Amino acid sequence: MRWWGWGDPAHPPGLGAEALEFLREHIGVAPTPHPPVALAHVRLEPSALPEGAAAALRAVVGAQGLHMDHDMRVAHAAGRGYTDLVLLRKGRPEGAPDAVLHPADRAQVRAVLDVCVRHSLAVVPFGGGTSVVGGVAPLRGRHAAVVALDLARLSEIVDVDRESMAVTVQAGRRAPELERELGQQGLTLGHFPQSFEYVSLGGCAATRSAGQASTGYGRFEELVQGLDLVAPIGEVKLPAFPATAAGPDLRQLLIGSEGTLGVIAGLTLRVRPAPAQRLYEGVFFREFAAGVQALRALAQEHVAPAVTRLSDEQETAMSLALAGAGGVKGRLGRAYLGLRGYGVGRGQGTGAIGDVSGASGAGCLAILGFEGSETEVAYRRRLALALVRRHGGLPVGRSPGRAWVRQRYAAPYLRDELLTFGVMVETLETATRWSNLERLHGHVGGAIAGALEAQGTPGLVMCHVSHLYETGASLYFTFLAAQREGAEVEQWQAVKQAASEAIVGGGGTITHHHAVGRDHAPWLEQEIGGAGVAALRALKAELDPAGIMNPGKLLSG
Amino acid sequence: MRWWGWGDPAHPPGLGAEALEFLREHIGVAPTPHPPVALAHVRLEPSALPEGAAAALRAVVGAQGLHMDHDMRVAHAAGRGYTDLVLLRKGRPEGAPDAVLHPADRAQVRAVLDVCVRHSLAVVPFGGGTSVVGGVAPLRGRHAAVVALDLARLSEIVDVDRESMAVTVQAGRRAPELERELGQQGLTLGHFPQSFEYVSLGGCAATRSAGQASTGYGRFEELVQGLDLVAPIGEVKLPAFPATAAGPDLRQLLIGSEGTLGVIAGLTLRVRPAPAQRLYEGVFFREFAAGVQALRALAQEHVAPAVTRLSDEQETAMSLALAGAGGVKGRLGRAYLGLRGYGVGRGQGTGAIGDVSGASGAGCLAILGFEGSETEVAYRRRLALALVRRHGGLPVGRSPGRAWVRQRYAAPYLRDELLTFGVMVETLETATRWSNLERLHGHVGGAIAGALEAQGTPGLVMCHVSHLYETGASLYFTFLAAQREGAEVEQWQAVKQAASEAIVGGGGTITHHHAVGRDHAPWLEQEIGGAGVAALRALKAELDPAGIMNPGKLLSG
């Protein structure tokens, strides 16, 4: 992965001249590109790792397993959140691990933790490094130094139990490598977060991840049958069972523990037959409210596609504007123009969230992605489309669906390009019950738009509904604005603060799938209460009495 | 509920002369009936509640909320496990709460816990009192006395959010009363454990219950969107969200906490439309193994009915033998006889578990209970029956299904009658992955049969597979044997010990839906490990530092 941004350096640019012009017109872009500094120019403090500790760690992982060189430290200096990238590109990350460890196996992980307890070293478990909430920030807490524990070498597939449709893997394995292996056996895990290309399975468990297809395949925590955690006090091994009533479910306590209790080392995960059919298509709704009701009906009548997302009017318009002329835009634009007769694109719209883009009345595009056996897809699709039509939706064919599939992992690449042009782009998400969904959509969108304006950088704010449940769904917001040069972090903080307060005050969870990390930690107590936080702290004190595991994440202070 | 057994005293007897003859022949029954003693003859120690504590409790709940009379104490002296009933019927329960409290609301629950901390009183939260694992045994631990905290008065339906398909209830509400209320609005919770007639919703959450239709509607923990717990240190309030990634899921920690962390006071639960159609039917398989493979395919191809159960050969034969001539037997018997041409009832069978009944080769009856909209039932049923046929199953019509529905809550009544005739009858259950299911079936069944024989009381051992998951299923064992008069508890302990060791040693969970309680506590550490137990103890120490909550349950010692 690029040290200063996302993904494969060979990825072709996606931001066309037309999109740039749109942004220049609506929010302003930097007059000249701001490329990242050269890697050699990234400034780091010298490693604070005491020589005694380094020797003890080297005795565990070998000389090849301990890295203190500049480039390796930079590569583990931050996750891939907006402020991470802003600081990396300037060559001034807020810090870096004093060493990067690559243990070869679970025994080495265990021994590393022992050394870290003895030498008072903070430990940041590091999987794909894709956190967007500061989950891998190299914070020392009260310790002498901080090390990143990179799990890349724990990548074995331990067992595939086809009869039970379960795979046992080491936690450092990357999702694409597991999917490739499973695919060769006609299986799939079905977990495709936007970070899919780099994410590790242990990271998905530690952050309670939900893939884009979670409506069909389940959230990551639903895939986990068993797991084990190497904690400073020892190993917690939870065997794989389809279900159990043996007390509180410790699986669901380690899932989402974000490296603060120990290192998730191994997982047994439910798999499924690779879908015989994948059928993605688009549906237009005149109004967001009608689309929301259609999605609710899909979920509650058990015919929701594996992937279901409904863009609000702003996001729909933006998709058209930002996509390259040869991509979504060309095809979608034609479909969209064809819809004017249907009443889309002419109305006033309700414009619940910042109408700066002129998107109001643009209509709302939904993507329905059916996956499964041919029988199942045919059944669901027939019922789903009938239901969508009853709610005023107009199926517009497969082009939008195909375009979405092609672009499903592209957003982080696009973000890098936008940063080069001085554009702030950030996403945040929540979930709430259906009866609160539209209200929360307006409330949070309004808070973001208002905060951007208060910063003197009015922006584009958009949202989609996805990850459907019978009782509710998630809301995923994206916003763009001109960066306040030299005050990018403060600008972001002001907006993040406003959005987070709107979320927890408006009946949403502080995060539906990005996890808590450092960025959401200040709001966790509002969500689970003082006694809930006390329970988590007690648990941490038991499993990690020295407090070395990922300090400053999940629990603030 | 009868103080000495199960349910409505008006329930008609179900044990016919023919069934009794069958039992006499195969395991022996007592020559004369052993009815329970009269209520007045139940011997209890005098209440140990100190007067100061009684006064303080009375100040909280009022004179009407504090009961120390003989009958009320007997009614809260035990759950409804086998040994509970054996001892109650003899008039010699192992103990009784020193007082029974009926708080009127959450504030009173909170205040009661404060008093109990101050006066060192153990607290047993008491919902329906239906535990079969010693979950409500009146154990004092190291405290001066023990009180039962009966939640019957916390029974309000707080909110029905139809749009979000979620209902918020107080924890003391009984399941049938909630279903009745929901049914009037065209809704259902879909949670129907065998204890349905008496069970409280808080109890279902505290014990991680799974209803008979959990394959369709989900386990109780899947229904819980939010909940709150009144703990000695304060309240843990977890708001209702469809999903969240905000750290470890404390919901799943309070669910299954079995009263050891505090009192579950309120719940927000997912509901569904009441099914337009309920269609239960029978399928015969020549062999258990074929039936298991059919069930596995139903689960993994996502066409399993809401209720799916497959009796092994022993249970199939026993169902025929024990059912009254006018009931299952008559109809089933005819179906069964008709199947002889199909090869059932003539083979040798593999007789994995105790073949004392001569059941080997009897074939295996499965019940498939489809519930849902007409469209959904038609779709699932068509695919499910095709799949069942591919696995050699023979649909035998709706009579067996209707008979099962009629009898779905009857087993505990039958148990009372069997006890009267000196017959030990007990059930226990586990779950495991599909690839281990048949092996565990033989292993546990053999252990039970062997232990019964070692007790000098060879028995009938039978089992069914139910509660299907993609990765595995549960095994539910029932066994009958002549009681060792005067040594009933020791006899039971020997068998329970053998079965539990076979389960945890054989790759099963110690409990799939009966919970841990006192009876399974000795095996919990084998399942979740020393560090897992330490984590639970740390959590308990935080929320219940005085250790007053349900001592001796979940965590042994």
Side-chain angles (χ1 to χ4, degrees):
Chain A
M1 195 190 295
R2 286 178 179 121
W3 66 266
W4 52 266
W6 188 260
D8 181 0
H11 191 89
L15 190 65
E18 202 179 343
L20 208 54
E21 187 48 42
F22 176 92
L23 292 173
R24 181 169 291 127
E25 186 184 323
H26 285 92
I27 58 172
V29 302
T32 54
H34 294 37
V37 303
L39 175 55
H41 292 163
V42 177
R43 282 186 292 176
L44 301 184
E45 296 288 321
S47 169
L49 189 70
E51 185 41 46
L57 291 169
R58 214 175 276 118
V60 171
V61 296
Q64 307 80 3
L66 175 71
H67 302 271
M68 297 172 62
D69 59 283
H70 174 269
D71 293 5
M72 187 65 91
R73 289 178 66 209
V74 170
H76 294 77
R80 289 300 178 261
Y82 172 70
T83 58
D84 295 329
L85 300 186
V86 164
L87 296 175
L88 279 173
R89 294 170 64 102
K90 288 174 188 278
R92 296 165 72 171
E94 61 175 325
D98 296 297
V100 177
L101 303 170
H102 285 91
D105 55 31
R106 181 177 315 209
Q108 287 192 3
V109 172
R110 179 85 191 261
V112 162
L113 296 192
D114 287 346
V115 171
C116 291
V117 168
R118 278 204 306 281
H119 290 268
S120 187
L121 308 177
V123 178
V124 179
F126 200 100
T130 62
S131 172
V132 291
V133 293
V136 295
L139 306 183
R140 285 181 198 175
R142 57 175 196 269
H143 300 285
V146 55
V147 299
L149 188 66
D150 191 316
L151 293 160
R153 290 169 74 189
L154 276 79
S155 65
E156 201 185 322
I157 295 186
V158 179
D159 179 58
V160 180
D161 179 349
R162 283 193 68 96
E163 193 174 351
S164 309
M165 293 301 265
V167 58
T168 301
V169 292
Q170 291 183 322
R173 190 165 189 100
R174 301 296 176 91
E177 292 156 16
L178 177 63
E179 274 298 333
R180 195 154 46 234
E181 179 74 29
L182 291 175
Q184 285 164 7
Q185 304 189 40
L187 302 173
T188 183
L189 182 64
H191 189 70
F192 305 106
Q194 192 173 68
S195 55
F196 175 73
E197 293 168 302
Y198 291 91
V199 86
S200 76
L201 297 162
C204 291
T207 57
R208 206 168 268 283
S209 171
Q212 291 165 342
S214 79
T215 306
Y217 295 94
R219 295 170 59 85
F220 202 80
E221 68 257 32
E222 298 175 79
L223 308 182
V224 176
Q225 307 289 297
L227 82 166
D228 45 63
L229 176 95
V230 181
I233 63 145
E235 295 187 34
V236 185
K237 293 188 182 183
L238 302 174
F241 293 125
T244 168
D249 191 351
L250 294 178
R251 285 162 198 79
Q252 295 300 331
L253 201 65
L254 305 186
I255 298 170
S257 59
E258 303 190 9
T260 63
L261 301 178
V263 180
I264 293 173
L267 295 154
T268 298
L269 302 168
R270 183 191 79 197
V271 296
R272 290 208 172 144
Q277 198 167 25
R278 283 197 174 91
L279 211 155
Y280 282 65
E281 55 201 310
V283 172
F284 257 107
F285 292 93
R286 273 194 192 85
E287 286 174 0
F288 185 61
V292 170
Q293 294 310 313
L295 265 55
R296 179 170 77 89
L298 288 172
Q300 293 179 349
E301 299 187 19
H302 303 164
V303 293
V307 172
T308 316
R309 354 180 344 128
L310 167 72
S311 294
D312 65 7
E313 292 164 329
Q314 288 73 17
E315 190 173 277
T316 301
M318 192 77 57
S319 302
L320 296 172
L322 284 193
V328 182
K329 177 76 180 280
R331 273 181 286 274
L332 255 194
R334 284 190 293 278
Y336 177 71
L337 290 170
L339 285 169
R340 295 199 163 244
Y342 169 70
V344 161
R346 292 187 304 199
Q348 289 302 309
T350 53
I353 57 180
D355 195 14
V356 289
S357 66
S360 206
C364 294
L365 175 64
I367 301 295
L368 308 186
F370 299 90
E371 302 200 357
S373 68
E374 288 183 17
T375 313
E376 188 177 354
V377 167
Y379 168 76
R380 281 189 181 253
R381 181 167 177 271
R382 179 174 59 79
L383 294 175
L385 292 186
L387 191 153
V388 155
R389 283 197 186 89
R390 278 207 301 281
H391 284 82
L394 184 72
V396 291
R398 301 195 188 165
S399 292
R402 278 196 288 260
W404 181 83
V405 168
R406 214 171 29 248
Q407 308 278 338
R408 67 190 295 181
Y409 308 128
Y413 292 96
L414 191 62
R415 180 177 55 165
D416 283 341
E417 294 186 69
L418 289 168
L419 285 169
T420 296
F421 285 98
V423 173
M424 173 196 206
V425 53
E426 174 63 313
T427 62
L428 52 86
E429 35 78 56
T430 180
T432 194
R433 59 192 187 280
W434 289 112
S435 61
N436 189 45
L437 196 83
E438 287 173 66
R439 199 174 64 81
L440 190 64
H441 170 254
H443 186 55
V444 176
I448 295 171
L452 286 171
E453 226 171 289
Q455 289 289 306
T457 53
L460 304 173
V461 185
M462 62 199 104
C463 182
H464 62 253
V465 182
S466 53
H467 306 278
L468 312 190
Y469 306 89
E470 290 171 71
T471 58
S474 82
L475 289 169
Y476 188 95
F477 292 89
T478 301
F479 54 92
L480 296 94
Q483 285 185 323
R484 277 184 55 203
E485 210 172 326
E488 295 90 349
V489 174
E490 294 77 359
Q491 178 191 24
W492 173 85
Q493 277 168 336
V495 183
K496 182 72 179 174
Q497 172 96 13
S500 299
E501 279 172 10
I503 285 171
V504 297
T509 171
I510 188 61
T511 173
H512 167 266
H513 62 270
H514 282 170
V516 177
R518 178 181 51 187
D519 296 352
H520 294 139
W523 286 278
L524 185 63
E525 185 162 341
Q526 274 190 65
E527 180 155 328
I528 66 171
V533 168
L536 291 181
R537 286 194 195 282
L539 202 73
K540 178 166 173 69
E542 177 65 31
L543 296 176
D544 174 28
I548 61 168
M549 297 307 307
N550 218 9
K553 320 298 164 55
L554 186 60
L555 300 164
S556 57
Chain B
M1 194 190 294
R2 287 179 179 119
W3 68 266
W4 53 267
W6 188 261
D8 180 0
H11 191 89
L15 190 65
E18 203 179 342
L20 207 55
E21 187 49 40
F22 176 90
L23 293 172
R24 181 169 291 126
E25 186 184 322
H26 285 93
I27 58 172
V29 302
T32 55
H34 294 38
V37 302
L39 175 54
H41 292 164
V42 177
R43 282 186 291 175
L44 300 184
E45 297 289 321
S47 169
L49 189 70
E51 185 40 46
L57 290 169
R58 214 174 277 118
V60 172
V61 296
Q64 308 79 4
L66 175 72
H67 302 270
M68 297 172 62
D69 60 283
H70 174 269
D71 292 4
M72 187 65 90
R73 289 177 67 207
V74 170
H76 293 77
R80 289 300 176 261
Y82 171 70
T83 58
D84 295 329
L85 301 186
V86 164
L87 297 176
L88 279 174
R89 295 168 64 102
K90 288 174 190 279
R92 297 165 70 173
E94 60 176 327
D98 296 297
V100 177
L101 303 170
H102 285 90
D105 55 31
R106 182 177 315 212
Q108 288 193 2
V109 171
R110 179 86 191 260
V112 162
L113 296 192
D114 288 345
V115 171
C116 291
V117 168
R118 279 205 305 281
H119 290 268
S120 187
L121 308 177
V123 178
V124 179
F126 200 100
T130 62
S131 172
V132 291
V133 293
V136 294
L139 305 183
R140 284 180 199 176
R142 56 174 195 270
H143 300 283
V146 56
V147 300
L149 189 66
D150 191 316
L151 294 159
R153 291 168 74 189
L154 276 81
S155 65
E156 201 185 321
I157 295 186
V158 179
D159 178 59
V160 180
D161 179 350
R162 283 193 69 95
E163 193 174 352
S164 309
M165 293 301 265
V167 58
T168 301
V169 291
Q170 292 184 323
R173 191 165 188 99
R174 302 296 177 91
E177 292 156 15
L178 177 63
E179 275 297 335
R180 195 155 44 237
E181 178 74 27
L182 290 175
Q184 285 165 6
Q185 305 190 39
L187 302 173
T188 182
L189 181 64
H191 189 71
F192 306 105
Q194 192 174 70
S195 54
F196 175 74
E197 293 168 302
Y198 292 92
V199 86
S200 76
L201 297 162
C204 291
T207 57
R208 207 168 266 285
S209 172
Q212 290 166 343
S214 79
T215 305
Y217 295 93
R219 297 170 58 85
F220 202 80
E221 67 257 34
E222 298 175 78
L223 307 182
V224 176
Q225 307 289 297
L227 81 167
D228 45 61
L229 176 95
V230 181
I233 64 146
E235 295 188 34
V236 185
K237 292 187 181 183
L238 302 173
F241 293 125
T244 169
D249 191 352
L250 294 178
R251 286 162 196 79
Q252 296 300 330
L253 200 65
L254 304 187
I255 298 170
S257 60
E258 303 190 9
T260 63
L261 302 178
V263 179
I264 293 172
L267 295 155
T268 298
L269 302 167
R270 183 191 80 199
V271 297
R272 290 208 173 143
Q277 197 168 26
R278 282 197 174 90
L279 209 155
Y280 282 66
E281 55 201 310
V283 172
F284 256 106
F285 292 92
R286 275 195 190 85
E287 286 174 1
F288 185 61
V292 170
Q293 293 310 313
L295 265 55
R296 178 168 77 88
L298 288 172
Q300 294 179 347
E301 299 187 19
H302 303 163
V303 293
V307 172
T308 316
R309 356 183 341 130
L310 167 71
S311 294
D312 65 7
E313 291 164 328
Q314 288 73 18
E315 189 173 277
T316 302
M318 191 77 54
S319 302
L320 296 171
L322 284 193
V328 184
K329 178 77 179 283
R331 273 181 285 274
L332 256 194
R334 284 191 293 278
Y336 178 71
L337 290 171
L339 285 169
R340 296 199 160 245
Y342 169 70
V344 162
R346 291 187 305 197
Q348 289 302 308
T350 52
I353 54 180
D355 195 15
V356 289
S357 66
S360 204
C364 294
L365 176 65
I367 300 295
L368 307 186
F370 299 90
E371 301 198 357
S373 68
E374 287 184 20
T375 312
E376 188 177 355
V377 166
Y379 169 76
R380 282 189 179 252
R381 181 167 178 271
R382 178 173 62 79
L383 294 174
L385 292 186
L387 193 153
V388 155
R389 283 197 186 90
R390 278 206 301 281
H391 284 83
L394 185 72
V396 292
R398 302 193 188 168
S399 293
R402 278 196 289 261
W404 181 82
V405 169
R406 211 169 35 246
Q407 307 278 338
R408 65 190 298 181
Y409 308 128
Y413 293 97
L414 190 61
R415 181 177 54 165
D416 283 341
E417 294 186 69
L418 290 167
L419 286 169
T420 297
F421 286 97
V423 173
M424 171 195 206
V425 53
E426 174 62 316
T427 63
L428 51 87
E429 37 75 58
T430 180
T432 193
R433 60 193 186 279
W434 289 111
S435 61
N436 189 46
L437 197 83
E438 287 173 64
R439 200 174 64 81
L440 190 64
H441 171 254
H443 187 54
V444 176
I448 295 170
L452 287 171
E453 225 171 288
Q455 289 290 307
T457 54
L460 303 174
V461 185
M462 63 199 105
C463 183
H464 62 254
V465 182
S466 54
H467 306 278
L468 312 190
Y469 307 89
E470 289 172 72
T471 59
S474 83
L475 289 169
Y476 188 95
F477 293 89
T478 301
F479 54 91
L480 296 94
Q483 286 186 321
R484 277 185 54 203
E485 211 174 325
E488 295 90 349
V489 173
E490 294 78 0
Q491 177 192 23
W492 173 85
Q493 276 169 337
V495 183
K496 182 73 180 174
Q497 172 95 14
S500 299
E501 280 173 9
I503 285 171
V504 296
T509 173
I510 189 62
T511 174
H512 167 267
H513 62 269
H514 283 170
V516 177
R518 178 180 54 186
D519 296 352
H520 294 138
W523 285 278
L524 185 64
E525 184 162 343
Q526 274 190 67
E527 181 156 328
I528 66 172
V533 168
L536 290 182
R537 286 193 194 284
L539 205 72
K540 178 168 172 70
E542 178 65 31
L543 296 176
D544 174 28
I548 60 167
M549 296 309 306
N550 219 7
K553 320 299 164 54
L554 187 59
L555 300 164
S556 57

